[in-house]
């Protein structure tokens, strides 16, 4: 018995399946390039064992706990830490049992595939997770976690990760990355420059964050020029720890290219906490263009992740804080929003801007037409809620005809769930091979070309776009 | 010869078809739960014969007459009653011939499947409806309608309807429901509380409607507290006639949770006819939250049906009135619109809010992410123009990965066309089985689990969500 | 070896493929009706040879040069003419080699299918275009172009074009069309009335254009009544050269039906260059309704092509001018925007309004519901970026269930690339047959009806809707 079908995600038609299988066999064992994600560098630095099955699979995974919560299970019962210090379940076995006895909720979801993949491929489990099997599976995972072969670095190597990027705040001291570097371990773990805390006037503690950045950069970051210099300094510092990209998570895709004196005045207002909502949005948007200009000098790839309405529930935000599954995608305009940035730097072939969306309606209508003409612009893979079989298929079906394959950048797993990394890359490789098989079978792509594209999508494009 | 292919709506791939067929065979004969619709309770109360084929199939079915009209056929020629008292075709055979000779217009539409299903399964007709066959088919249906076996209650039982809900205005006296109850007939026909006429300041006769509600409830409904008390009273009255849900058809998904004094002031303005468009919208939005709070007390399920631009043609509205096929879906935002309601009651697992949409772009982007985290929120099935093979398939493909199956509520037929009820449930059951078969065949769902889900989608979820 | 798979675009399932093939075999050789496009009437008038492969395939085709440019190739290197008079590559062989060595960029795009089709079917080439094959293929095409059989009229006849429409500005003198008519050649080439230059107050030279129109029409077009009379006169002139349609490319779908004095006042402001953006938009919108009223008199079909944000890059606009691949689709509302027009003329069955969209989200939500009820309204085929396998399939899947087939109008190639005309019609015929095969196989359409629909979609509907 197995949890996973060896031909999963390939079309059932025998001809298509044979083609997809043949393509997949050439890419399944390629090394993983993970150019964007949220794994914790402390894992690789300390290489300590993961604590228990619940804290590996349930508590940190917002896909998992949001689904359980949607059916009335309190986040406290899942051990999700309280921001207000209140009590939560501490017994990992109890949390695991709750997860197991509600595992049917994940039918038809990508979480089901990711968890089953990790259970089978990482922990050798072949029995379905249910209330009945919960304890035995808990014990089996728990036994594994005590072994050295299941420590982070060993798994990193077993997962065949050639390079992985974490994401750190611009005011992070990168001590874990330093510790990794100093350890002599050869695993390639790089950081990415995430300046939300110092470019978003509405970010909690914005002014203090800017001040801290100034101290770290030995610049007077309270002046506009000093602030820009501090960014340049911090970017260089991040590049010492392997960074090849910056990352920007804004509520909208708005960009601006303001005159320098207007930008400087907005910055002053932002420091004083005096920006209106619109001014804060304009400042964030202008900083994307400034970041792009810095990228022209230092070569960092610029990633834009817009369109999430964060912390939708006030009650959950108050009790549990951010990132608790209450970020909801919103409709996002790109055509007008990106115009200032693209007018400023979009024609530069030496710049790479990678754009993500949570609004699939923009794939065919806006993003593919934009990426299909501007030299600087590339499309990131399906993101977040769309990082799934159907989501990936829709992306290829809606983006390829106008943007082609070579204005896309392969796959990002974007995950905090370490054991899901091989699962997610495997899903992406399978879906892309299934898509290519269909192109061959419908006479839209020659077979020899499809094999080349399969490797491009699984490995080469990510490596090239992110300069890893 | 048959009008219906026995394997219709299953994928042509032999493996998929066998799987879909096997799933379908377990659900095809399950009783029908019809928790939301617009059949006329007078039918069940009086149990009189349906008058003739035209008034059964053409005149009351907006899907049918809008398509005929789109090709230049006047609504008058189809016997659609004039609001202005003008003449319309009275000869049902003439109307039927017009329908028959234009039946090719329905190729590829769900109406074609529904009508063919009713012709074959209800009336035993196996010849295609055309100009040539029109009279013979007319006669065959007409002969049937004279028999007792074709009266409403007999058909209700033959259709294997376990429970059906009609929809009545908050100021309806429910006399037909009383007559059904008093008749001793055991068919389960319940009502649903539809208060648009008394919560929408822009509804014709709003103030008079509120006054009437007050009289019916023996409350002074012209005060804010009396008005709320009258709602509670009417909801209790509806529950005496089996109501388990309220239903709300608003132009937008806007909700509000206003301070009570602000709401009371808006109510006063509404009664005086002094609300601006925005204030009317805010009042409607606030009343959704008030209704949800009442639901926490009385247990009614709250249904929200937003997003139709009603009565698009002034000329048709003037000549024929409402509900003449001129309601057009519009783009609808849910993320911001529902936030006040969800902040007020969304975390309550003892409340069920069922949300519908006419804007499919919101399935994956907004609705599945919301229903996939808020305990109170569930997704209604594809609605109105999307109640079709492609529409249902898109819903499952776009909503399942983030919301799963268990944040959806099975199928609603939502129909006024009595004979289409079995047809519509059959379509939904077939499409869901086809979708599940594909999940099995692509390794996304185990076969034993798919059988359980098939029954959940065909029967159990609707029964449970609507407490029927 | 062949570039084209004989069963391309048909589903791989053997049953589906057999059905699709059978349908396609009945329509593949039907004459081409090309009721909307942008081929140059000078070609047919002068019947001069096309100059060279680069100027046939690369330089004039925005699909081709935008994709090459998106990967960093300068438009100058592709021979795209500079608006500012700057230098561009003049050697067609160099341009061709650049195209050939980057031909892999078109994998999975419709351009690849169109170009391969033209290479094989028009020029007899069976080897894939690559850097290695570039020169040989260049020579083979170049040799062909010198032969009489490859002149425009010969190709027109070989392509089996029954009728083609070009598009000319309202102030064009139609001299090429006159030359075609006077030549005695029997190829049916008609014009279409495109008045953007004289109905859009923001069009460069609007007032001068209006003045010119007045001179051509012998009317004082500087008064509102004279302006309308001049339109009527020009429409009649265009009809002398076969025009059966007008065409309107507006940034939005906004329509207005203003009182005549308000329209007249806006017109005066427009002539003085004094319109605000909103007034210009209102004037354009009102002119659609005026055009529709003229159509009621003269019978021209009204085509609306809204929703492109033109000339997105300032730098490209300054250096190369309009139509350089920088027009990007935007989200477009139809429900509210079209209401004034539809209220004015939408109920007229003697009028045909053909609506196009660049926003696929409107197919199922807005356009099919509107076209499925208003007698005057029909849906144009997938347009521009959506004129592709996936785009056409999405159109049929999203529009058919509510609009049916008979509120659509067959296919338009909309192209400037002459050799792509047979390729594009072939793609449309194949996709429609694949769609119909799936309807048959899933029991949604009888086989005999599908054959009738196949011919309707490939030939009859375009001919009928455009009165060609």
């Amino acid at each position: 018995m197995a949890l996973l079908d060896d031909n999963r995600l390939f079309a059932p038609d025998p001809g298509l399946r044979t083609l997809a299988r043949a393509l997949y066999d050439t890419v399944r064992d390629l090394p993983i390039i993970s150019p964007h994600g949220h794994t914790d560098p402390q894992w690789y630095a300390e290489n300590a064992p993961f604590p228990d099955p619940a804290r590996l699979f349930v508590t940190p995974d917002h896909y998992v706990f949001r689904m359980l919560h949607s059916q009335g299970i309190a986040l406290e019962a899942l051990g999700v830490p309280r921001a207000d210090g209140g009590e939560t379940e501490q017994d990992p076995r109890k949390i695991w049992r709750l997860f197991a006895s509600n595992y049917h909720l994940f039918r038809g979801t990508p979480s089901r595939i990711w968890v089953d993949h990790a259970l089978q491929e990482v922990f050798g489990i072949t029995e379905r997770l249910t209330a009945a099997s919960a304890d035995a599976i808990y014990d089996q995972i728990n036994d594994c976690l005590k072994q050295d072969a299941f420590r982070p670095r060993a798994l990193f190597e077993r997962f065949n990760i050639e390079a992985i990027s974490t994401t750190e705040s611009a005011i992070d001291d990168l001590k874990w990355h330093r510790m990794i570097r100093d350890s002599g371990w050869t695993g390639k773990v790089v950081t990415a420059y995430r300046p939300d805390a110092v470019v978003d006037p509405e970010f909690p503690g914005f002014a203090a964050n800017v001040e801290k950045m100034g101290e770290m950069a030995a610049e007077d970051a309270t002046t506009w020029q000093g602030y820009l210099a501090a960014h340049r300094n911090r970017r260089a510092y991040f590049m010492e720890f392997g960074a090849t990209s910056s990352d920007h998570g804004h509520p909208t895709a708005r960009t601006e290219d303001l005159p320098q004196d207007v930008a400087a005045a907005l910055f002053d207002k932002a420091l004083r906490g005096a920006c209106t909502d619109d001014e804060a949005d304009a400042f964030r948007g202008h900083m994307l263009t400034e970041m792009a200009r810095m990228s022209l000098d230092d070569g960092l790839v610029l990633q834009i992740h817009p369109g999430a309405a964060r912390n939708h529930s006030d009650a959950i935000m108050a009790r549990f804080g951010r990132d608790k599954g209450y970020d909801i995608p919103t409709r996002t305009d790109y055509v007008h929003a990106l115009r200032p940035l693209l007018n400023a730097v979009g024609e530069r072939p030496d710049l790479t801007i990678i754009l993500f969306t949570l609004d699939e309606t923009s794939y065919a209508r806006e993003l593919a037409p934009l990426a299909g003409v501007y030299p600087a612009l590339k499309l990131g893979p399906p993101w977040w809620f769309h990082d799934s079989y159907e989501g990936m298929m829709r992306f290829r079906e809606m983006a390829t005809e106008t943007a082609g394959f070579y204005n896309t950048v392969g796959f990002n797993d974007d995950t905090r769930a370490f054991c899901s990394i091989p699962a997610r890359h495997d899903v992406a490789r399978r879906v892309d091979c299934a898509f290519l098989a269909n192109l061959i079978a419908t006479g839209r792509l020659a077979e020899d070309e499809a094999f080349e594209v399969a490797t491009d999508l699984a490995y080469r494009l990510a490596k090239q776009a992110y300069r890893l």
Side-chain angles (χ1 to χ4, degrees), chain A residues 149-166:
Chain A
F150 290 83
R151 291 187 183 237
R153 291 183 185 179
L155 288 177
F156 182 101
E157 286 156 12
R158 182 172 154 200
F159 292 169
N160 197 16
I161 297 173
E162 180 177 313
I164 199 169
S165 178
T166 66

Side-chain angles (χ1 to χ4, degrees), chain A residues 4 8-9 24 28 32 57 61 103 109-122 155 158-161 387-389 392 411-413 415 417-431:
Chain A
L4 303 174
R8 64 193 177 278
L9 310 187
Y24 173 69
R28 69 174 296 166
I32 287 175
F57 279 101
D61 188 337
Y103 198 52
T109 70
S111 293
R112 172 65 181 263
I113 293 178
W114 300 333
V115 172
D116 277 0
H117 186 110
L119 292 178
Q120 178 172 315
E121 298 296 312
V122 183
L155 288 177
R158 182 172 154 200
F159 292 169
N160 197 16
I161 297 173
D387 172 21
S388 60
Y389 174 86
M392 290 176 186
F411 183 64
N412 293 179
D413 56 70
T415 194
F418 191 47
C419 288
S420 77
I421 291 175
R424 288 168 189 249
H425 285 264
D426 186 66
V427 168
R429 289 170 182 193
R430 286 172 180 272
V431 174

Side-chain angles (χ1 to χ4, degrees), chain A residues 188-415:
Chain A
K188 184 166 183 178
V189 178
V190 305
T191 183
Y193 187 67
R194 175 90 173 209
D196 295 3
V198 289
V199 303
D200 177 3
E202 295 175 332
F203 202 94
F206 172 74
N209 297 339
V210 169
E211 191 175 354
K212 182 169 177 194
M213 177 171 73
E215 285 164 18
M216 295 176 99
E219 296 281 353
D220 177 6
T222 63
T223 70
W224 174 239
Q225 289 306 327
Y227 171 72
L228 294 178
H231 272 294
R232 280 186 216 103
N233 176 290
R234 293 302 294 162
R235 292 166 64 102
Y237 184 73
F238 272 60
M239 290 175 76
E240 287 179 35
F241 295 92
T244 68
S245 66
S246 68
D247 182 35
H248 307 272
H250 290 191
T252 72
R254 177 172 178 179
T255 65
E256 294 288 351
D257 184 16
L258 304 171
Q260 287 293 306
D261 59 334
V262 175
L266 267 186
F267 176 64
D268 286 343
K269 270 186 116 163
L271 281 187
R272 298 196 314 269
C275 280
T276 62
D277 286 355
D278 184 66
E279 287 171 335
D281 206 41
F283 184 73
R284 283 188 297 260
H286 177 74
M287 284 308 297
L288 286 175
T289 305
E290 292 292 349
M291 289 286 129
R293 287 202 193 97
M294 293 182 197
S295 285
L296 287 169
D297 293 330
D298 63 23
L300 290 187
V301 168
L302 182 85
Q303 300 173 91
I304 306 177
H305 285 90
R310 303 271 173 181
N311 314 309
H312 197 267
S313 164
D314 291 342
I316 296 293
M317 179 62 181
R319 209 173 333 159
F320 297 95
R322 292 166 162 258
D323 298 326
K324 291 303 171 292
Y326 279 81
D327 300 341
I328 311 292
T330 55
R331 203 190 295 147
T332 304
D333 161 79
Y334 293 91
V335 179
H336 305 98
L338 294 180
R339 211 169 164 239
L341 174 69
L342 292 173
N343 260 321
V345 298
E347 288 296 318
R348 293 291 296 259
D350 51 341
L351 174 68
T352 301
I353 300 170
I354 299 177
L355 190 61
F356 295 78
T357 191
L358 291 169
D359 182 353
E360 294 178 314
T361 68
S362 64
Y363 286 154
R365 186 181 60 215
E366 304 178 24
L367 298 190
L370 286 167
V373 73
Y374 277 104
L377 196 65
K378 302 279 176 287
L379 301 186
W383 175 39
W384 201 337
F385 295 106
H386 309 311
D387 172 21
S388 60
Y389 174 86
E390 301 287 353
M392 290 176 186
M393 203 53 99
R394 281 196 290 270
F395 173 70
R396 292 289 175 211
E397 288 172 354
M398 295 201 277
T400 306
E401 293 183 322
T402 293
F405 291 110
Y406 297 101
N407 289 307
T408 68
V409 298
F411 183 64
N412 293 179
D413 56 70
D414 191 33
T415 194

Side-chain angles (χ1 to χ4, degrees), chain A residues 15-191:
Chain A
L16 282 176
R17 180 156 289 194
T18 301
L19 280 170
R21 183 83 226 174
L23 291 162
Y24 173 69
D25 285 342
T26 68
V27 300
R28 69 174 296 166
D29 296 325
L30 289 175
I32 287 175
I33 303 289
S34 175
H36 176 90
H38 301 275
T39 57
D40 191 336
Q42 185 178 0
W43 298 338
Y44 315 116
E46 299 195 315
N47 199 32
F50 290 104
D52 61 65
R55 275 181 282 178
L56 189 61
F57 279 101
V58 182
T59 311
D61 188 337
H62 56 81
Y63 292 92
V64 168
F65 64 67
R66 79 192 307 275
M67 177 63 90
L68 296 169
H69 182 61
S70 77
Q71 290 280 314
I73 298 171
L75 293 181
E76 286 89 341
L78 298 166
V80 177
R82 290 273 290 266
D84 60 2
E87 286 189 9
T88 65
E89 181 58 58
Q90 294 300 313
D91 182 346
R93 191 177 288 270
K94 276 194 188 164
I95 295 168
W96 184 259
R97 284 176 183 160
L98 198 53
F99 175 43
S101 58
N102 286 282
Y103 198 52
H104 65 284
L105 299 177
F106 296 92
R107 287 170 181 166
T109 70
S111 293
R112 172 65 181 263
I113 293 178
W114 300 333
V115 172
D116 277 0
H117 186 110
L119 292 178
Q120 178 172 315
E121 298 296 312
V122 183
F123 296 103
I125 290 157
T126 55
E127 193 184 0
R128 186 183 302 159
L129 183 62
T130 63
S133 67
D135 278 353
I137 291 174
Y138 184 93
D139 292 337
Q140 187 168 339
I141 298 171
N142 220 21
D143 287 348
C144 288
L145 294 179
K146 291 171 188 158
Q147 302 170 32
D148 284 350
F150 290 83
R151 291 187 183 237
R153 291 183 185 179
L155 288 177
F156 182 101
E157 286 156 12
R158 182 172 154 200
F159 292 169
N160 197 16
I161 297 173
E162 180 177 313
I164 199 169
S165 178
T166 66
T167 307
E168 270 76 45
S169 169
I171 50 177
D172 189 287
D173 58 11
L174 304 184
K175 72 173 173 183
W176 302 116
H177 280 275
R178 179 178 299 278
M179 192 166 153
I180 295 166
R181 193 178 65 182
D182 293 348
S183 75
W185 178 55
T186 57
K188 184 166 183 178
V189 178
V190 305
T191 183

